[in-house]
Amino acid sequence: MALWRWYGIAAITLQTPTRRLRTLSIILLGQARSAQYRRITTAVPPWRPAAMLDEWVQKEACPISLRQLTFFGRTLTESRLISSANYVRKELPIRIAHRIRDMQTLPYVVVTNSHISHVYELYYKAFETLRRVPEIKTVDDNDRYCTLVRENLQEHLTVIPRLAMGVLECQNLMSPEDMDKFMNTLLRSRISRRVIAEQHIALTETFHRQLPNAKPTHDPGADFVGEVFLRCNAQEVVKDCGERANRLAAEAYGSDCTLPEITLEGHLDATFPYILSHLQYIIGEIIRNSIQAVLEKHANIPGNPPPIEVLVCEASHHVIIRISDQGGGIPKDVLPRLWSFSKGSRSQTHLRNLLQVPKMAATMQELKPSSSSVTSDREYAHGTQGKRSYDSSLSSLTSRPPNLRLGIGLPMSRAYAEYWAGSLELHSLEGYGVDAFLQIAKFGNKNEQLSTRASMDAV
């Protein structure tokens, strides 16, 4: 089957006449569709042979659950560490290969966008590097591999903002539905790669902290296994995220501004295994939006603003968190694009704002806080729930000013929620407020939700 990889215009000549005409039509139509496109910088990806990528695309990714992630670290031995390393070694190039193939299915005019092309080049470089790693047999092999993975994670911090800017610049060149499908698939896969990579790095660090020649021990009271927090408590996370959001709102609106109270009720002792930074990001974005909406709605109304009410419900298989505000609801013109990465008339504002957030980590683990007032997730765990403390943070996203609207907070929050088989829904009562419902799998036994294969062959 003849495949065109948009490696360059020259590749078009290798297609059948019908497909060549279709390809050229897509390019010409896209270039002529809007004056906006002519202002977009382009970068043509270089030609590469496809045989090696084809080989890896045929392999399926093996999804993993939170419970399985903790298995390797519960009683950490050298053999389990090596097994974990080889699982990550096999999975990373497979998952990257699938997403490269998905990018190859996009119209040529889209993938020559400088932002999309930049991401493609990062992915291909990572694929070529990681697929060449030989089997890991010793702890020294594993340490060298972890160094390589850390470098890769750091290099890819620009992916999310570059993708978001590319989507906004190319929103007239693809349907919003197709672009959102592409973005959600890419984002979930990115989260998955960082989760398994960071989990293994954390296990490696734990292994090296063990005393030399000490027998592995199983601590049933341990709360962290690698990056997995076994006893996430919704009440504590909501309180912490509310304090962060209030600090930012006070800085933005002034210390004399009266902030809405955040009230909690329900099953406040409910706990569940989760990656803490994921939960903090989702709840942080919702509370942040609620505080901002309430303050703007009641800015000129005397008295204290109405509270933001949080209800925690523990069911047999799920924990459900409802966050309710009286911020006036979501405007009708915003609702159709609420979960979309394409933002219509608001795109230029979001593009300008994205330039102020140059790096984002898919699990928010690598960046330092831009303000001393932002507490890291593990510092939070240590301070409020008596758990161990590490130097990591939510950083760029959760510490940005309230007026720096990026247009990706809710779509990304839903991607995080659905990644571990949960859900995020919003119900808006125009003129009154919004109810947000976050559902989380209670036992950590649900596999990560990601595409195990490329969505389709390139055409």
Side-chain angles (χ1 to χ4, degrees), residues 34-42 112-115 166 168-171 173:
S34 68
Q36 177 189 4
Y37 176 77
R38 293 192 289 272
R39 296 193 295 271
I40 299 173
T41 57
T42 59
T112 57
N113 173 273
S114 61
H115 301 298
L168 291 174
E169 289 184 349
C170 297
Q171 64 179 346
L173 307 177

Side-chain angles (χ1 to χ4, degrees), residues 81-107:
L81 184 68
I82 299 303
S83 296
S84 171
N86 281 304
Y87 169 77
V88 176
R89 178 184 65 87
K90 293 176 182 178
E91 284 295 303
L92 289 182
I94 291 174
R95 298 184 187 201
I96 293 173
H98 292 167
R99 303 294 74 80
I100 292 173
R101 175 54 50 83
D102 283 343
M103 282 189 272
Q104 291 175 353
T105 68
L106 298 174

Side-chain angles (χ1 to χ4, degrees), residues 41-346:
T41 57
T42 59
V44 178
W47 180 88
R48 292 184 177 90
M52 186 56 65
L53 182 66
D54 287 342
E55 177 183 331
W56 284 85
V57 165
Q58 296 305 312
K59 302 177 182 181
E60 287 197 13
C62 298
I64 198 168
S65 68
L66 283 167
R67 182 175 293 178
Q68 290 170 317
L69 278 178
T70 63
F71 168 78
F72 291 108
R74 275 295 200 177
T75 305
L76 190 57
T77 63
E78 181 176 332
S79 62
R80 285 193 176 184
L81 184 68
I82 299 303
S83 296
S84 171
N86 281 304
Y87 169 77
V88 176
R89 178 184 65 87
K90 293 176 182 178
E91 284 295 303
L92 289 182
I94 291 174
R95 298 184 187 201
I96 293 173
H98 292 167
R99 303 294 74 80
I100 292 173
R101 175 54 50 83
D102 283 343
M103 282 189 272
Q104 291 175 353
T105 68
L106 298 174
Y108 182 83
V109 70
V110 172
V111 293
T112 57
N113 173 273
S114 61
H115 301 298
I116 305 294
S117 179
H118 171 80
V119 173
Y120 178 82
E121 289 304 305
L122 283 178
Y123 274 40
Y124 225 113
K125 178 184 176 183
F127 169 70
E128 290 293 341
T129 300
L130 295 172
R131 73 175 178 83
R132 290 183 167 90
V133 176
E135 182 182 359
I136 297 168
K137 299 180 180 180
T138 67
V139 173
D140 288 340
D141 290 344
N142 175 68
D143 291 343
R144 286 189 291 271
Y145 180 63
C146 287
T147 298
L148 178 66
V149 171
R150 285 190 190 96
E151 293 171 353
N152 182 264
L153 292 175
Q154 186 68 24
E155 189 173 19
H156 282 227
L157 290 177
T158 60
V159 166
I160 293 178
R162 293 297 291 265
L163 277 175
M165 288 188 283
V167 167
L168 291 174
E169 289 184 349
C170 297
Q171 64 179 346
N172 293 325
L173 307 177
M174 285 179 65
S175 70
E177 294 77 17
D178 289 341
M179 188 64 86
D180 287 337
K181 179 182 178 182
F182 165 74
M183 276 292 290
N184 280 307
T185 300
L186 215 66
L187 181 58
R188 283 193 197 179
S189 177
R190 174 179 165 78
I191 295 171
S192 78
R193 296 193 305 274
R194 300 190 83 89
V195 164
I196 62 174
E198 289 168 358
Q199 175 72 358
H200 178 67
I201 290 172
L203 293 181
T204 298
E205 293 171 352
T206 300
F207 179 82
H208 284 301
R209 282 195 299 271
Q210 293 177 350
L211 293 175
N213 303 320
K215 293 182 179 180
T217 59
H218 169 58
D219 180 7
D223 292 305
F224 271 105
V225 176
E227 292 294 312
V228 182
F229 190 19
L230 301 179
R231 295 179 177 85
C232 273
N233 178 267
Q235 175 184 210
E236 297 294 342
V237 175
V238 168
K239 285 182 178 179
D240 181 71
C241 291
E243 290 173 2
R244 297 185 190 195
N246 279 334
R247 283 196 296 266
L248 292 169
E251 291 174 5
Y253 295 101
S255 57
D256 58 339
C257 175
T258 303
L259 301 173
E261 180 186 2
I262 299 176
T263 65
L264 284 125
E265 60 180 334
H267 303 136
L268 301 184
D269 294 328
T271 60
F272 46 91
Y274 217 72
I275 293 182
L276 188 56
S277 60
H278 289 194
L279 186 62
Q280 288 177 318
Y281 175 68
I282 300 168
I283 293 179
E285 282 294 316
I286 298 171
I287 290 180
R288 175 195 189 91
N289 290 342
S290 291
I291 291 176
Q292 189 169 357
V294 169
L295 289 178
E296 292 177 358
K297 169 74 172 176
H298 298 270
N300 300 317
I301 301 176
N304 294 332
I308 295 169
E309 300 173 345
V310 180
L311 172 66
V312 180
C313 174
E314 182 178 17
S316 56
H317 297 286
H318 299 92
V319 173
I320 302 168
I321 303 170
R322 186 192 70 191
I323 301 176
S324 305
D325 67 57
Q326 298 178 42
I330 300 170
K332 282 185 177 181
D333 64 316
V334 175
L335 271 176
R337 297 179 182 268
L338 187 65
W339 301 108
S340 176
F341 289 92
S342 302
K343 296 300 181 182
S345 60
R346 300 170 182 255

Side-chain angles (χ1 to χ4, degrees), residues 353-378:
N353 291 343
L354 280 164
L355 291 172
Q356 301 181 50
V357 187
K359 293 183 178 181
M360 300 179 196
T363 56
M364 315 302 163
Q365 291 293 326
E366 293 82 2
L367 300 178
K368 303 295 181 183
S370 59
S371 168
S372 60
S373 66
V374 180
T375 309
S376 76
D377 54 351
R378 288 221 173 98

